[in-house]
Amino acid sequence: MSQYSEYTNEQIHTMDKAHVWHHLTPAAAAEKGMPLYVKGEGLHLWDADDNCYLDASAGGVWVTNVGYGRKAIVDAISEQLMELNYFAGSMASKPAAVFASRLLEKMPGMGKVFYSSSGSEANEKAFKMVRQISHKKYDGKKRKILYRERDYHGTTIAALSATGQSQRRDHFGPFVPDFVEFPHCFEYRSQFGDVEDYGIKAAQLMEEVILQEGPDTVGGVIIEPITAGGGVILPPEGYMAEIQRICRKYDILLIVDEVVCGLGRTGAWFGYQHYGIQPDIVTMAKGVASGYAAISCTVTTDAVYQMLQEDNGDKLGFFRDISTYGGCLAGPAAALANLNIIEEEGLIANCAHLGEVLLQGLHALKEKYPMIGDVRGKGLFCGIELVLNRETKEPVDEAVAIQIVNACKEAGLLIGRTNRSFETFNNILNMSPALCITAEQIEDILNILDRVFAKVTL
Ligand SMILES: Cc1ncc(COP(=O)(O)O)c(C=O)c1O
């Protein structure tokens, strides 16, 4: 007997419509009734009417890296909660200690893990670290954080202040001072036309902003290793190394937001590891526990940790921060079981291999359908950019992307899209199936997309 057995699906829909305020959803859409998913297994989801879907969106927003229905994770959580569910994160716990040390084995060069419970929060911690370091070392001066056009870093006001997506920011200003945007590195829509060394040129756009602001005022730069919600944008050749070089030159902390790319999504433990850089701070959430529990981490080098321990006379000699749910022991217990699954099932290698198969399949669809202007991806993280004209790259209207997402759903496939993020560039579909996907399921995804694209009306 579950807690809900006394309710019919109809009653659940009625209660939902009456009382639940759905994320990102206008009232008119909610009034029609939202999908009611009731079960998941592997990559499959079932709704209350017993329709089955292949989920290529990892829970809608790149979360369920190891798929649905993982008993090992549920058991690990349940055992931990029966033993001890909570004590504040200022104390030691078995799951937090063991997960941190196992995580750091995957992140050479990093030294400490600070726990909280969402991606936005993990980024807030990083910003607060930069600010506290600026007070301790630079009399509060080196406090600005630079963020990149098209990147997203979260829903809270400071994280949104660090977000380069105009429509997400609409109506929420004024923003927190001292967050400054620098230009994107999206080669498909290059600021310089077709140039050989685009990656270097794009990184130098960041240096220009540092120089305009004054290097002695800039304390941190935050980037996504691969921009997710902004359109699955991979860094161009040479870009990441140049960003790191510039940060080092001006003594600026490099923060890499791995909230989407972390824990295997791109075919490496972390996205930044493809590009040979060594960040100062790495943030992560989503795939850390694949949605079985709410957990996020702000991981720093020992050097960053030490900067915050120094006792400079009357100044604070530690990072003065706590999140209540950073102490909930379900998080690291789930994260440890999640990490064990990724390792034992070889999911990073599966992701790299089948991600390549998916990408090749999408390139084949591009040959067939002129409205596919660009296909890009790394591991099981792919984007399809839709255009009206391949020469001019004029984007299709958001309605076309919505039409395709809906048609895929009708055909039993869940995919994602840029969702009211930019004025004109909500034209990108994305896919991020669980890392345990099979070759047959990749084929199913490609076949459904093929059938859907054949029927799209512009
Ligand atoms: C790159 C990135 N950073 C941060 C966040 C915020 O994470 P959360 O929604 O867990 O606060 C997101 C959410 O989509 C994200 O995509």
Side-chain angles (χ1 to χ4, degrees):
M1 279 288 275
S2 98
Q3 298 185 86
Y4 320 105
S5 356
E6 67 182 278
Y7 302 105
T8 64
N9 289 334
E10 210 168 313
Q11 286 172 316
I12 298 279
H13 271 301
T14 306
M15 288 185 275
D16 177 75
K17 275 190 203 175
H19 305 302
V20 180
W21 189 335
H22 288 276
H23 299 183
L24 293 176
T25 307
E31 209 23 62
K32 290 185 194 148
M34 302 309 288
L36 174 58
Y37 296 121
V38 291
K39 181 162 174 57
E41 187 72 49
L43 275 85
H44 286 113
L45 270 181
W46 285 265
D47 67 17
D49 298 321
D50 219 23
N51 298 306
C52 179
Y53 302 92
L54 179 60
D55 181 9
S57 71
V61 286
W62 316 292
V63 174
T64 57
N65 280 16
V66 299
Y68 299 108
R70 290 287 192 167
K71 191 167 178 315
I73 304 183
V74 177
D75 287 347
I77 296 171
S78 143
E79 276 161 29
Q80 180 57 50
L81 295 189
M82 283 312 296
E83 195 94 357
L84 178 65
N85 63 318
Y86 184 82
F87 201 89
S90 44
M91 299 299 151
S93 78
K94 285 185 200 172
V98 177
F99 178 65
S101 68
R102 292 285 306 286
L103 178 67
L104 290 170
E105 283 169 14
K106 315 296 178 205
M107 307 181 75
M110 305 308 288
K112 283 277 194 277
V113 179
F114 192 93
Y115 289 108
S116 53
S117 52
S118 73
S120 308
E121 246 188 310
N123 287 329
E124 295 273 345
K125 308 299 179 197
F127 302 151
K128 287 179 79 174
M129 287 173 188
V130 170
R131 287 204 169 190
Q132 198 177 332
I133 288 169
S134 103
H135 282 283
K136 287 170 73 66
K137 278 187 75 174
Y138 306 103
D139 281 328
K141 197 156 181 232
K142 208 168 165 61
R143 63 173 180 267
K144 290 183 187 164
I145 311 262
L146 266 47
Y147 65 91
R148 191 173 54 193
E149 185 183 0
R150 277 197 171 248
D151 279 359
Y152 176 64
H153 298 295
T155 180
T156 53
I157 286 293
L160 205 55
S161 304
T163 284
Q165 299 179 6
S166 52
Q167 282 184 316
R168 290 220 202 216
R169 291 163 62 107
D170 264 0
H171 298 270
F172 295 117
F175 293 98
V176 179
D178 295 329
F179 285 86
V180 183
E181 185 167 299
F182 65 93
H184 68 72
C185 64
F186 188 17
E187 195 157 15
Y188 180 69
R189 297 189 182 277
S190 159
Q191 301 91 334
F192 309 103
D194 200 5
V195 289
E196 282 240 312
D197 52 352
Y198 176 72
I200 305 297
K201 284 199 155 63
Q204 284 166 355
L205 292 174
M206 180 189 77
E207 186 168 20
E208 282 173 24
V209 175
I210 293 172
L211 292 172
Q212 274 160 24
E213 295 294 321
D216 58 340
T217 69
V218 181
V221 163
I222 184 164
I223 50 171
E224 294 183 62
I226 295 174
T227 300
V232 191
I233 301 169
L234 277 75
E237 185 75 34
Y239 179 81
M240 290 293 240
E242 184 66 3
I243 290 284
Q244 175 170 275
R245 188 191 67 76
I246 296 166
C247 285
R248 298 274 184 273
K249 178 174 170 188
Y250 298 108
D251 202 11
I252 292 169
L253 296 173
L254 178 55
I255 307 163
V256 177
D257 176 342
E258 293 272 353
V259 169
V260 173
C261 294
L263 279 293
R265 169 59 54 208
T266 66
W269 280 103
F270 291 93
Y272 74 84
Q273 293 170 344
H274 292 289
Y275 307 106
I277 59 162
Q278 176 61 66
D280 300 294
I281 303 178
V282 178
T283 60
M284 63 191 77
K286 301 192 187 263
V288 172
S290 289
Y292 288 85
I295 175 172
S296 61
C297 304
T298 307
V299 180
T300 74
T301 57
D302 282 325
V304 167
Y305 177 74
Q306 280 311 328
M307 281 185 233
L308 287 162
Q309 306 311 309
E310 283 160 22
D311 178 359
N312 321 31
D314 60 343
K315 296 189 180 147
L316 215 50
F318 64 100
F319 182 43
R320 206 255 170 263
D321 191 273
I322 180 169
S323 282
T324 300
Y325 279 102
C328 181
L329 299 179
L336 182 60
N338 183 71
L339 185 143
N340 285 337
I341 289 173
I342 296 176
E343 212 158 50
E344 285 159 16
E345 296 184 8
L347 295 187
I348 305 263
N350 192 58
C351 173
H353 169 59
L354 290 182
E356 198 47 45
V357 176
L358 178 59
L359 196 61
Q360 278 169 19
L362 295 179
H363 276 292
L365 291 180
K366 182 181 166 200
E367 294 304 308
K368 212 165 154 185
Y369 300 106
M371 70 176 310
I372 301 183
D374 194 32
V375 159
R376 21 181 210 268
K378 198 146 193 92
L380 287 165
F381 187 26
C382 298
I384 302 175
E385 176 134 4
L386 305 171
V387 292
L388 288 170
N389 178 321
R390 277 198 184 165
E391 289 301 305
T392 62
K393 300 182 180 172
E394 185 185 343
V396 299
D397 191 80
E398 186 167 15
V400 177
I402 294 172
Q403 182 196 147
I404 293 174
V405 170
N406 290 343
C408 284
K409 187 169 179 217
E410 283 282 299
L413 173 68
L414 304 183
I415 64 170
R417 65 182 178 88
T418 40
N419 189 348
R420 202 171 177 279
S421 304
F422 311 98
E423 304 304 333
T424 45
F425 293 115
N426 290 303
N427 62 325
I428 299 154
L429 307 174
N430 61 58
M431 267 162 292
S432 57
L435 314 185
C436 50
I437 195 168
T438 63
E440 293 72 38
Q441 288 170 328
I442 296 275
E443 219 174 287
D444 290 346
I445 292 176
L446 291 167
N447 287 336
I448 292 174
L449 284 174
D450 194 0
R451 291 205 300 274
V452 165
F453 271 108
K455 290 194 189 142
V456 178
T457 48
L458 287 177

